[in-house]
C-alpha cells in the first residue's frame, strides 16, 4: 500500500560560514516520521527509514511528493542504502530482517535472519559488495551477509561482543565495519567471514560510522572523542583530526565522489565538510535546534542528511569549498 502526500519545501538561507559555498534545502516531513537514515538514488529520488511507523519513505524532491510504504508487521527500519539494482534496501530491527522495496511496484521482500539469531540483533547498517551481496551489522554484537539471489544468510559474532555499527565497501570490494561500544575498525574476510581488528590511536574513541574514499582509505566518525579518523590500509597508518568547537560529537559519515568528507556534529548541531587536501572544516549549521543527523549519503554535487530530531530531510548542494 502506498500512501502519498505533498510535503512543504523550504529553501534555507545560507549561513555566514557557508555563504558562497553551497545552497541548502529542507523538506519538512509529517510529525513523527523520524527519518533515521537517508539514501539518494542516482536519479535524485530520496528514500529514508521511517523507524517509528515501520515505513519506507520516498521523496521526489522535484515535486515534493512523499510516499510511505509499510514494510511489515513490527517493522522498525534503521539503515537504508541504494543497491546496484536501484532499489532501496533496509536493515529492519523490528522484523530482524533485511528488506527490499521495489521502486516501481512498491512490492516489499523480506529476508529474516536465521532462527537462532531471532528475535533481535538490533540491525544497524548495510552495504553491498561487488558480487551483489548485502553485508550488515547488528549492535547486539553481530555482522552478517545476505546473498539475495540464493537467499542464503550467514551471521557471525563480532569481536568483543556488542557494538557493531557502521559498515562500508572500498572500491576494490573490501568490507570494513566499526564498533561503537568497543572502539575498533575491522576488516571482514569475504569468504570465511572472519574479522580482523585494527585499533585506532585514540582509546575508547567510539568509532560510529565508516566510509571509504576513492583510494580505499577508511574515514571514521569518532563519537566519544569528537574526531574524524583516517586509516590507510595500503600504508597501515592512522591519522585523526579534532572537529572544531568545544564539545564536538561526530556521528554521520559520508565521503563524496570528490573525496570530501562529510560528517554531522551533534555538539555544534551542524553538518561539516572536511577537505583532506587543506585539512580544513566547513560548517553548515541547521536552522533548527536538535537536528540529530544520524547518517548522510548523496550523489555528485548533493549531500543528503536525515534530521531525525526535526522530522526533515536536508540537502546541501555544494560548490567548491571556501579557502
Amino acid at each position: 500500500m502506498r500512501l502519498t502526500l505533498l510535503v512543504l519545501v523550504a529553501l534555507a538561507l545560507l549561513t555566514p560560514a557557508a555563504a558562497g559555498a553551497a545552497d541548502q534545502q529542507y523538506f519538512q516531513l509529517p510529525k513523527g516520521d523520524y527519518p533515521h537514515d537517508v539514501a539518494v538514488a542516482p536519479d535524485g529520488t530520496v528514500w529514508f527509514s521511517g523507524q517509528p511507523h515501520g515505513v519506507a519513505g520516498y521523496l521526489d524532491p522535484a515535486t515534493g511528493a512523499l510516499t510511505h510504504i509499510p514494510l511489515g508487521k513490527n517493522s522498525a527500519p534503521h539503515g537504508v542504502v541504494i543497491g546496484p539494482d536501484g532499489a532501496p534496501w533496509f536493515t529492519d530491527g523490528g522484523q530482524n530482517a533485511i528488506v527490499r522495496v521495489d521502486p516501481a511496484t512498491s512490492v516489499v521482500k523480506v529476508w529474516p535472519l536465521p532462527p537462532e539469531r531471532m528475535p533481535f540483533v538490533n540491525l544497524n547498517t548495510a552495504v553491498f559488495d561487488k558480487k551483489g551481496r548485502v553485508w550488515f551489522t547488528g549492535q547486539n554484537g553481530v555482522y552478517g551477509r545476505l546473498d539475495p539471489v540464493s537467499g542464503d544468510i550467514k551471521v557471525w559474532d563480532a569481536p568483543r561482543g556488542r557494538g557493531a555499527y557502521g559498515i562500508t565497501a572500498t572500491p576494490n570490494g573490501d568490507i570494513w565495519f566499526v564498533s561503537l561500544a568497543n572502539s575498533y575498525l575491522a576488516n571482514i574476510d569475504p569468504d570465511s567471514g572472519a574479522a580482523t581488528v585494527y585499533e585506532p590511536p585514540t582509546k575508547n574513541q567510539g568509532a560510529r560510522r565508516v566510509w571509504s574514499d576513492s583510494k580505499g582509505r577508511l574515514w571514521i566518525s569518532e563519537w566519544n572523542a569528537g574526531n574524524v579518523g583516517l586509516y590507510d590500509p595500503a600504508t597501515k597508518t592512522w591519522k585523526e583530526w579534532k572537529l572544531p568547537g568545544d564539545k564536538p560529537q561526530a556521528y554521520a559519515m559520508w565521503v563524496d565522489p570528490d573525496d570530501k568528507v562529510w560528517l554531522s556534529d551533534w555538539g555544534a548541531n551542524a553538518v561539516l565538510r572536511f577537505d583532506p587536501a587543506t585539512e580544513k572544516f566547513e560548517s553548515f549549521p541547521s536552522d533548527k535546534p536538535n537536528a540529530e543527523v544520524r547518517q548522510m549519503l548523496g550523489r555528485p554535487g548533493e549531500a543528503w542528511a536525515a534530521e531525525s530530531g526535526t522530522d526533515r530531510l536536508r540537502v546541501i548542494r555544494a560548490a567548491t569549498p571556501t579557502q
Side-chain angles (χ1 to χ4, degrees), residues 4 6 24 42 44 60 133 144 182 225 305 318:
T4 305
L6 294 179
Q24 304 178 62
D60 182 348
R133 300 176 300 184
N182 282 288

Side-chain angles (χ1 to χ4, degrees), residues 96-116:
N96 211 44
I98 306 300
V99 177
R100 177 189 184 271
V101 176
D102 188 303
T105 65
S106 298
V107 170
V108 176
K109 186 168 183 179
V110 179
W111 287 267
L113 266 61
E116 62 270 21

